[in-house]
Amino acid sequence: MTDLPSPKHSASLEQGGPPRRLLLVHAHPDDESINNGATMAKYAAEGAQVTLVTCTLGEEGEVIPPELALLAPDRDDRLGEYRVRELTAAMSELGVTDHRFLGGAGRYRDSGMMGAPQNRRPHSFWQADVDEAAAALVEIIREVRPQVLITYDPDGGYGHPDHIQAHRVAMRAADLAAEPAYRRDLGEPHTIAKIYWNRAPRSVVEEGFARLKDALAELPFPASASVDDVPGVVDDDVITTVIDGGGFAAAKAAAMRAHATQIEVVEPWFALSNRLAQPLSAVEYYELVRGERGDGVSGGSPETDLFAGVTEAGKGAA
Ligand SMILES: [Zn+2]
């Protein structure tokens, strides 16, 4: 099979569509803002097409504001629909207009923490057939034709079943989308040039918590989280790519604040429902796991652009 651009793809380039297209796959509403808020805001502001796919509505999350406690899954069980609105508000803070739920809103339900009985519910994302869920994502990949995909590492960053499953589905869909013989009813084949996993360099996380120690007395949070509470922490040399979203720190904080059932923000810190304080940084880190580094090759210095080395045709340096 030759590797010529599909007619559909060529046409969209000729029509002057946005040349850079970034796809993010996340488990729950709020993960995108916590992990990639500055990256999403930066690329959206630069005119890239940013597409977010969220796999569940986050129905099993804990609810922070006491006045919203009735939304909880063990009460009215209306947290999912509420979090759709929070996500919409967060996307507007980040300037992202294309956000979708995998298979449509409510197709897959939040599986709860690993080992919880919710893991075994038939419609939980943890019980989803990976190939079936991947097909829904293939259709989006072949429509959007991203050059860059961001998702989690195989552990989902911290072992949450929905994060692990989001990783599996994203990686499987990237393979299937490129496969010429696979489901042509879902669109023309498309190869994603570069795939990144969310990461956090250990030295930076440790330094953040050291600063937090001094600031904690002034904060409304009773205690500090620890390095082990941060998803995706790796040795510094695993990091291939650093996106300095410093100009978008306020947008990231506002997006996180939009997820008020899940996050409390006191810049430059935040806490989840456990109320343990963590650093909030607009510098976001990645590990390139597929495709070639486009710059910073010498001396192992990291890339500073997710699209480095990607050609307009989306074939990448690989
Ligand atoms: Zn999550």
Side-chain angles (χ1 to χ4, degrees):
M1 195 47 102
T2 54
D3 200 23
L4 295 170
S6 70
K8 190 177 169 186
H9 188 208
S10 301
S12 78
L13 283 176
E14 282 159 20
Q15 286 156 16
R20 297 188 299 171
R21 296 175 299 271
L22 170 63
L23 174 67
L24 302 99
V25 177
H26 275 292
H28 311 111
D30 80 356
D31 292 314
E32 79 298 324
S33 298
I34 297 169
N35 287 281
N36 314 109
T39 300
M40 293 172 75
K42 175 180 185 288
Y43 281 103
E46 290 175 1
Q49 181 181 333
V50 179
T51 299
L52 170 68
V53 175
T54 308
C55 297
T56 79
L57 306 187
E59 295 94 332
E60 298 295 325
E62 293 185 37
V63 180
I64 294 175
E67 67 273 19
L68 295 175
L70 81 171
L71 296 172
D74 57 351
R75 296 183 67 181
D76 289 356
D77 194 17
R78 289 176 49 217
L79 182 56
E81 60 189 83
Y82 194 87
R83 291 185 72 178
V84 172
R85 299 210 297 274
E86 290 185 333
L87 181 60
T88 302
M91 291 306 93
S92 117
E93 298 290 355
L94 299 179
V96 171
T97 53
D98 186 10
H99 54 99
R100 314 168 185 211
F101 289 96
L102 186 68
R107 170 66 182 83
Y108 298 108
R109 186 173 167 115
D110 188 331
S111 311
M113 291 297 187
M114 188 62 88
Q118 290 89 331
N119 296 176
R120 296 191 295 276
R121 283 186 176 149
H123 292 295
S124 75
F125 191 41
W126 189 235
Q127 294 296 330
D129 179 85
V130 170
D131 282 353
E132 186 190 312
L137 188 56
V138 167
E139 188 168 18
I140 295 171
I141 291 172
R142 287 180 172 177
E143 175 205 328
V144 172
R145 312 190 80 75
Q147 299 101 336
V148 174
L149 167 68
I150 295 173
T151 189
Y152 312 107
D153 64 76
D155 180 48
Y158 71 108
H160 190 295
D162 292 329
H163 287 236
I164 294 171
Q165 191 79 313
H167 161 86
R168 291 174 179 165
V169 168
M171 299 304 285
R172 181 79 179 130
D175 286 340
L176 291 173
E179 178 56 54
Y182 177 76
R183 295 282 307 266
R184 293 299 277 263
D185 59 308
L186 299 180
E188 294 293 315
H190 175 72
T191 301
I192 299 173
K194 299 174 87 176
I195 301 179
Y196 292 94
W197 293 343
N198 289 303
R199 291 299 197 186
R202 191 174 310 280
S203 71
V204 171
V205 177
E206 285 172 349
E207 192 255 337
F209 279 109
R211 274 185 290 114
L212 174 55
K213 212 170 187 179
D214 300 327
L216 194 60
E218 316 281 310
L219 297 175
F221 307 120
S224 167
S226 71
V227 174
D228 294 339
D229 297 312
V230 177
V233 175
V234 287
D235 292 340
D236 293 15
D237 60 7
V238 174
I239 304 296
T240 60
T241 310
V242 179
I243 301 302
D244 184 349
F248 299 90
K252 176 172 181 169
M256 288 173 65
R257 209 172 259 124
H259 293 289
T261 61
Q262 306 301 308
I263 311 173
E264 269 181 272
V265 177
V266 181
E267 285 175 80
W269 318 104
F270 75 99
L272 302 173
S273 62
N274 59 16
R275 305 211 70 237
L276 301 177
Q278 298 187 39
L280 193 173
S281 171
V283 183
E284 294 165 344
Y285 300 87
Y286 301 93
E287 178 185 359
L288 177 68
V289 295
R290 195 173 296 179
E292 298 293 324
R293 284 193 203 200
D295 64 6
V297 197
S298 62
S301 64
E303 293 178 318
T304 55
D305 177 11
L306 298 169
F307 292 88
V310 172
T311 66
E312 281 226 346
K315 291 300 171 193

